[in-house]
Amino acid sequence: VYDATNPERLEVRAGLPFSDASSIEVVGDVSYIYAAAEIHVLDLSQPTDPAVERSVPAWGSEIRVFDDLLVVTGGDRAQLFDLSGASAPTLASELYLPETEYGADPTRGAVRIGSTLLVGAQSGGVAVVDIGLLEEPTLLRSIAIESQVNDLFLDGEELIVATNDGLRAFDVSDARDPVEMTRFAALEGNRVSSLARWGDDLLALAG
């Protein structure tokens, strides 16, 4: 935990050791960390003394939190965890994408729009999933993309997809029927691996 009061001089306030940590989300005074095949729930109400509240098994490498839903991607499935209960996160269901010739298609990133979840597929494509019943997610359709998908980012009614060939932009005003609007090649042919917001700009990690 860093004190960022002065961004030019970050100061360490506290720390906890985690093995193979790969993803973190913070919601209020709670942090969710994915590390060593587990989701660790941290209480940050005392920044100088963060405490691990609980840890639950999970499989992947990246977590995303959408209100009362936590999604784990990065493995051979997407895992959906319910955050509404006192013992949260509780595994509600697992979603496997259609298999490729190499086996189960690894998942890469996710965004939620109401009762619809969009999940990236490493082999190329975005899965449109109905999560109206969290315990029984239903694959509605898959949007073909001729490149490996690495990350998804939602900007209002636009979905930005990071791929090995650059960026794709989709109109998701109808979340269950995304329509491609445009595409951008990555600088110098580099793959785009991750996306993030910075003010009014979109940052794309390419290399």
Side-chain angles (χ1 to χ4, degrees), residues 145-161:
I145 293 178
E146 307 78 21
S147 180
Q148 175 175 308
V149 171
N150 301 311
D151 196 14
L152 304 181
F153 183 86
L154 186 64
D155 183 16
E157 294 185 342
E158 291 185 16
L159 172 71
I160 311 299
V161 181

Side-chain angles (χ1 to χ4, degrees), residues 1-3 11-17 44 46-50:
V1 179
Y2 286 88
D3 182 348
E11 295 184 3
V12 177
R13 303 183 71 178
L16 290 172
L44 300 178
Q46 299 294 327
T48 58
D49 187 26

Side-chain angles (χ1 to χ4, degrees), residues 176-198:
R176 301 194 175 190
D177 187 24
V179 177
E180 185 169 1
M181 299 186 298
T182 187
R183 58 184 66 182
F184 305 92
L187 294 176
E188 300 180 355
N190 291 318
R191 66 189 289 268
V192 180
S193 58
S194 185
L195 301 169
R197 158 95 44 207
W198 182 45

